[in-house]
Every structure is written in structure tokens, then in C-alpha cells.
Amino acid sequence: MKLTYFQGDPPNFGDELNATMWSHLLPAGFFDDDASKLFIGIGSIIQHGYPKDARKIVVGSGYGGYTIKPDVHDGSWDFHFVRGPQTTEALGLNPDLAIADSAILLRQTPLPAPATDIKIGFIPHYESIERGNWKVACDLAGISFIDPTDPPERIIQQILGAKFVITEAMHGAIVADALRTPWIAVRTMHHIHRFKWYDWVKSLDIDYQPAFLFPSNLRESWAVTTGRSGSGPRAKAACTSKLAQPLNNACHHMAARSLQKLAQMRPSLSTDANIERATDQAMSAIDGLIAKYGRKVAFA
């Protein structure tokens, strides 16, 4: 069975959790390079592009809402649980499969020691690292910058050590919630990402009210106002020129003040009862997965 997840450049925290978390939850030798069985775990990776003749084994993934819906009733899919009710509704699955994002299972793994040099952290979306200037804005605001492209262990340490986190990255909120660190969601520029957020928060009955966060530079302002990425060569050249620098500096300070205002808000957190219920249900699904596929590993 082949572990399958999105591998980007730069790497993204939520996706990279796949490379480390499952080894603590599944038997040694569970994964190999056999692409006839694909293990689909953390991420919005229930999509249509997989080989039709491969067995797709879904363990806590979600449908992202921004790709063509796959035909999950063609006999090649094996669902153990999914991220939330929007996934089950969109794909016509049994509602009982909507448990939570599988990153919740970090609660069942060994965790690193919390960082001791952080109070309030900000986690941008990984795409905002290249486009924005959030390290500068965080420094101006006196808030710790948590880089979603760092190794997962370092990010987990920072989340564990934070009083709370402000996060544009959905898995920043998912992991914080799982580890009982309060969080504040900020509105992303991409409306398509909100489907994923609603999928997850509904699984844990969380009131999702993302706050506005002022863009950190002209490229992000371009993206917010036009709906485009701001990564095209003309937009990039115009927004990073010397003439644009005064406006970029103003954006840095506005973004810093926006972060400081957010730091005064009341953060969110699912109830202990809901997180424990979802964790127990997800672990039961893992037990079923091992019972179904783990025997072959043991015999091998």
C-alpha cells in the first residue's frame, strides 16, 4: 500500500504530517511502493485524478471543493472516515463517515516538548510565504511567526507552546485544536478554501467566523482585490519595485496592527467532549483499517 499525499515546493505543514504521523499509528511495514493500493490520509486529496484501477483507501481526508468530484461509487474506493459532513454530502457518502480530519490523531502519538519562546503565534497559508511579508509584519506586531514550511515537529512545538495561534492555514487550526491550543481563524483570499474549513468545523461543531486580516504587502492586496494569485510576472514586478516600497512598508504596519487587534479577540476551541468523541471514533476506524489490511503486513 502506497502512502499518498500532496508534496509541494515549498512543503506544507498539513500535508507533511503524513510522512511522520502514520508511523506511530500503523504497523511497521504497512506502507510500501505498491501503487495498486493508495492510502489517502491528511489533506484535501479526495479527487478524480487517481488511476481507476487502483484501490483508494481513504482515512480522514476531505474533498476540497476545487477539483472535479471523483466517482467514489465505482467500486475502487474504500472509505474508513472523512474530514467532515460537507465531504459526505458532496460525494454522496454515508454521513456516519464524517468524523474529523485525520490530523486529530496526533493526540495519539508522542509529541515534542512545547516551545518556550512563544506566546501568540501567527501561521500563514503556505502559499502566503512566497507572496507576503508576514515575518516582517509579525516582528512589528510582537507576534511569533510560525512558518508552515518548517519541519512538522518544529511547528507542533510552537503550537504546543503558544497561548493561542492566529492562523490562515487550516491545518494550523486543526492541529492547534487537537492539541488543545486555542486558535483564531483569519479569512483567506481564496473563497474555494472555505469549503474545507466548513467541512472540518462542522465535524466538531465549532462556530467558524473567520476574521479579516489586512494584507502584508501590495502583492497580497492585489490578490485580495482581484481574486488572482498576485504571482504573475507583471503583478510581481509592479508590486516589488522601488516605487512600490513605501506602499509595501505601509502594508507591513497595517498588517501588524491588524494582528495586534486579532490578539485581543477571544479564540476558538472545540469542546473536550467533541474532540474526545472524534478521537475515539477515528481510532476505531484505524483499528478497522488494521484488521482489514494489517494481516497481510504481519504475514509478509
Side-chain angles (χ1 to χ4, degrees):
M1 185 182 303
K2 186 174 182 179
L3 177 62
T4 305
Y5 61 97
F6 175 76
Q7 294 175 280
D9 184 17
N12 178 36
F13 169 55
D15 301 300
E16 293 300 313
L17 287 172
N18 284 288
T20 55
M21 186 186 80
W22 296 113
S23 63
H24 298 293
L25 299 165
L26 299 171
F30 196 85
F31 297 125
D32 54 29
D33 291 325
D34 180 4
S36 68
K37 294 185 180 68
L38 303 178
F39 182 98
I40 300 172
I42 301 169
S44 299
I45 52 176
I46 301 175
Q47 53 197 25
H48 74 289
Y50 298 113
K52 290 185 178 180
D53 58 350
R55 186 72 170 161
K56 278 79 75 175
I57 300 156
V58 178
V59 188
S61 306
Y63 171 64
Y66 46 77
T67 61
I68 298 172
K69 293 179 184 179
D71 179 6
V72 298
H73 305 287
D74 65 0
S76 70
W77 294 79
D78 181 12
F79 287 91
H80 291 261
F81 70 100
V82 299
R83 178 191 292 148
Q86 298 221 157
T87 291
T88 57
E89 182 177 353
L91 301 180
L93 298 171
N94 184 340
D96 292 343
L97 289 169
I99 294 176
D101 188 284
S102 46
I104 195 175
L105 293 172
L106 281 172
R107 294 167 54 81
Q108 303 299 108
T109 69
L111 297 172
T116 59
D117 58 346
I118 181 171
K119 292 184 179 179
I120 298 172
F122 171 64
I123 312 172
H125 191 276
Y126 85 104
E127 291 177 346
S128 297
I129 298 298
E130 188 273 336
R131 183 173 51 232
N133 289 109
W134 286 107
K135 178 66 169 64
V136 173
C138 284
D139 288 345
L140 289 170
I143 286 174
S144 298
F145 174 73
I146 301 177
D147 188 337
T149 68
D150 275 348
E153 183 173 2
R154 172 170 169 75
I155 299 170
I156 291 169
Q157 285 182 303
Q158 292 173 305
I159 291 174
L160 283 168
K163 179 181 177 182
F164 65 87
V165 294
I166 301 166
T167 181
E168 180 187 25
M170 185 181 72
H171 275 93
I174 290 172
V175 171
D177 198 83
L179 303 182
R180 304 285 78 190
T181 297
W183 50 274
I184 293 173
V186 296
R187 190 183 314 149
T188 73
M189 55 163 266
H190 298 292
H191 71 279
I192 54 177
H193 289 169
R194 298 178 196 173
F195 181 97
K196 304 190 302 186
W197 277 89
Y198 283 112
D199 193 31
W200 169 63
V201 297
K202 287 180 179 178
S203 72
L204 295 174
D205 195 26
I206 301 170
D207 183 23
Y208 175 57
Q209 296 183 357
F212 173 74
L213 180 60
F214 197 88
S216 67
N217 62 13
L218 284 181
R219 286 182 70 192
E220 289 196 322
S221 295
W222 170 278
V224 169
T225 55
T226 66
R228 300 175 182 175
S229 69
S231 297
R234 293 203 310 185
K236 185 175 180 180
C239 294
T240 58
S241 67
K242 288 185 178 180
L243 290 175
Q245 194 56 48
L247 289 174
N248 278 321
N249 288 337
C251 285
H252 298 160
H253 285 274
M254 291 290 288
R257 284 196 286 273
S258 186
L259 284 169
Q260 289 171 334
K261 288 182 179 178
L262 289 171
Q264 305 303 313
M265 292 177 57
R266 182 177 179 178
S268 298
L269 195 67
S270 67
T271 66
D272 289 344
N274 281 343
I275 200 77
E276 289 168 6
R277 168 193 52 78
T279 302
D280 289 345
Q281 290 176 339
M283 282 305 300
S284 293
I286 294 297
D287 290 341
L289 173 77
I290 294 171
K292 186 171 184 177
Y293 295 101
R295 292 194 186 99
K296 296 179 182 179
V297 173
F299 286 131

